[in-house]
């Protein structure tokens, strides 16, 4: 039985919801995903109207530090080594996914 919730597809990788950490009006705006290979990703919603997201690949070490409150969400996102911006569409296959080099820090919590 597969009860994983598919959130995004990046470069052929399926990203499944691991845990939702922060909600705004019942919409998860900061959450963690894991791909089929076990890699972790942090996701921050940067536009709750249009459902645009920053998705960053993160290390297990940084994830543990975040969950143990020794790393801020901002530091966690900025420290990532792979970053994408995703504009959500009706179907996941139609999402607009683009790899980015930097994140606009004003968008971060």
């Amino acid at each position: 039985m597969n009860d994983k919730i598919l959130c995004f597809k990046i470069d052929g990788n399926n990203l499944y919801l691991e845990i939702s950490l922060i909600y705004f009006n019942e919409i998860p705006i900061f959450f963690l995903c894991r791909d089929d290979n076990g890699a972790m990703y942090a996701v921050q919603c940067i536009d709750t109207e249009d459902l645009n997201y920053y998705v960053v690949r993160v290390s297990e070490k940084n994830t543990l530090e975040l969950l143990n409150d020794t790393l801020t969400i901002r530091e966690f996102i900025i420290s990532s080594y792979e970053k994408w911006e995703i504009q959500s569409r009706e179907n996941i296959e139609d999402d607009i996914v683009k790899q980015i080099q930097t994140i606009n820090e004003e968008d971060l919590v």
Side-chain angles (χ1 to χ4, degrees):
M1 184 169 136
N2 186 356
D3 56 355
K4 294 180 186 177
I5 298 171
L6 180 63
C7 296
F8 305 105
K9 288 186 176 195
I10 296 178
D11 300 332
N13 275 334
N14 293 328
L15 275 60
Y16 298 98
L17 179 65
E18 185 81 7
I19 184 171
S20 295
L21 298 169
I22 300 173
Y23 291 86
F24 176 76
N25 291 340
E26 299 181 25
I27 298 170
I29 59 166
F30 183 70
F31 51 98
L32 300 177
C33 290
R34 191 179 293 271
D35 70 15
D36 291 318
N37 301 315
M40 292 288 297
Y41 299 80
V43 180
Q44 182 180 328
C45 181
I46 53 173
D47 184 336
T48 55
E49 298 285 314
D50 294 330
L51 297 179
N52 295 334
Y53 299 89
Y54 282 143
V55 178
V56 297
R57 188 164 172 182
V58 293
S59 69
E60 294 280 339
K61 175 183 173 288
N62 284 3
T63 302
L64 289 173
E65 288 178 359
L66 174 78
L67 297 175
N68 289 319
D69 286 334
T70 57
L71 193 65
T72 67
I73 291 174
R74 178 180 289 268
E75 292 166 334
F76 183 61
I77 299 281
I78 292 171
S79 71
S80 69
Y81 45 95
E82 289 183 272
K83 306 168 180 72
W84 297 269
E85 190 171 333
I86 297 180
Q87 295 173 359
S88 229
R89 295 292 183 251
E90 186 95 13
N91 298 309
I92 289 176
E93 288 77 21
D94 299 330
D95 287 355
I96 298 170
V97 179
K98 52 184 180 186
Q99 191 155 18
I100 56 176
Q101 298 301 313
T102 56
I103 284 178
N104 181 354
E105 290 190 38
E106 291 175 10
D107 291 334
L108 300 179
V109 290

